């Protein structure tokens, strides 16, 4: 069923409210999807972004979509076909590094709330004009980090962001203490070596630490 920009923003806000951090996952092997998602959800991070950057990504989304308590989204959406594939696999939200009219239209037609990327005031204002007031700030660190996002928030307080790209335990608090940040995205909670070793307890512990990070908004 199609979704409006207003309803997509409302849903994005709900998803971003679930936890301070959305893990960004690059998973090569779908057989690890379920225990990985279970560990993250158990650690307190229910919203998960699976990037469509590996051949296994759609199978990973399919496997994670069944995990109780999880809300699985598809990241790195670039084309309308990506949107169709993500929805068919069971994704409940979409994330993109930027936004195009075609991508936005496809997400609205497919009923997929889109967390679209913006890195400048103009990009954020263009999305706001279309009805989207919850955006990804990407690439967060390379775009000036928390101080840049704070500066954008001064004239545009009506837009909330999920900064992603270079967010780490060392700087997460700088972002999460901003009034225009609802949550942040990051890959550090899912280190490749822990996934390769099946260290689900270790990943759950990292998730638990991330889930404890405090937010202002
Ligand atoms: C990405 O591009 O993979 C995401 O933005 C996550 O970035 P990170 O690995 O710096 O957390």
């Amino acid at each position: 069923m199609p979704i409006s920009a207003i309803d997509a923003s409302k849903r994005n806000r709900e998803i971003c409210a679930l936890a301070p951090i959305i893990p960004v996952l690059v998973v090569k092997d779908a057989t690890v999807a379920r225990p990985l998602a279970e560990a993250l959800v158990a650690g307190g991070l229910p919203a998960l972004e699976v990037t469509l950057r590996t051949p296994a990504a759609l199978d990973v989304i399919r496997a994670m979509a069944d995990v109780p308590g999880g809300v699985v989204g598809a990241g790195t959406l670039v084309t309308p076909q990506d949107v169709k594939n993500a929805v068919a696999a069971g994704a409940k939200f979409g994330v993109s590094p930027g936004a195009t009219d075609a991508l936005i239209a496809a997400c609205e037609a497919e009923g997929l709330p889109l967390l679209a990327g913006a890195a400048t005031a103009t990009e954020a204002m263009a999305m706001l004009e279309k009805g989207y007031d919850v955006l990804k700030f990407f690439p967060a660190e390379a775009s000036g980090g928390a101080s840049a996002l704070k500066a954008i928030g001064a004239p545009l307080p009506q837009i909330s962001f999920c900064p992603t790209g270079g967010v780490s335990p060392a700087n997460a608090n700088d972002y999460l203490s901003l009034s225009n940040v609802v949550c942040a995205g990051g890959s550090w909670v899912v280190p490749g070596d822990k996934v390769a070793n099946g260290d689900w307890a270790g990943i759950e512990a990292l998730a638990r630490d991330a889930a404890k990070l405090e937010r202002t908004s």
Side-chain angles (χ1 to χ4, degrees):
M1 202 159 78
I3 190 169
S4 68
I6 302 294
D7 285 344
S9 294
K10 191 169 161 235
R11 187 63 192 130
N12 280 339
R13 209 171 274 282
E14 290 166 356
I15 291 166
C16 288
L18 292 172
I21 302 296
I22 297 179
V24 178
L25 312 176
V26 184
V27 185
K28 295 187 189 127
D29 173 7
T31 64
V32 306
R34 192 171 179 100
L36 173 57
E38 285 172 346
L40 292 165
V41 172
L45 301 182
L48 311 175
E49 176 191 341
V50 177
T51 59
L52 300 185
R53 290 188 224 160
T54 66
L58 292 170
D59 286 335
V60 170
I61 292 173
R62 244 172 245 119
M64 289 187 170
D66 287 343
V67 171
V71 180
V72 181
T76 333
L77 297 179
V78 178
T79 67
Q81 189 61 49
D82 290 340
V83 177
K84 282 192 167 62
N85 293 345
V87 169
K92 296 292 185 250
F93 65 100
V95 186
S96 61
T100 66
D101 288 344
L103 185 66
I104 295 164
C107 284
E108 291 180 357
E110 296 289 334
L112 191 70
L114 175 66
L115 189 62
T120 67
T122 297
E123 290 166 4
M125 287 166 66
M127 288 305 294
L128 184 65
E129 207 168 80
K130 294 177 190 296
Y132 288 82
D133 64 4
V134 183
L135 303 173
K136 167 175 167 172
F137 179 57
F138 178 83
E141 279 294 286
S143 303
S147 62
L149 191 49
K150 183 178 181 184
I152 289 173
L156 296 170
Q158 65 275 56
I159 306 178
S160 298
F161 291 91
C162 168
T164 306
V167 181
S168 70
N171 61 21
N173 283 320
D174 298 341
Y175 289 101
L176 294 170
S177 62
L178 300 179
S179 57
N180 62 339
V181 168
V182 282
C183 67
S187 61
W188 83 85
V189 285
V190 185
D193 60 333
K194 284 196 171 18
V195 175
N197 295 330
D199 182 3
W200 311 128
I203 287 176
E204 184 179 330
L206 286 170
R208 188 156 286 130
D209 287 343
K212 280 188 210 139
L213 291 166
E214 288 188 17
R215 294 179 270 192
T216 299
S217 57

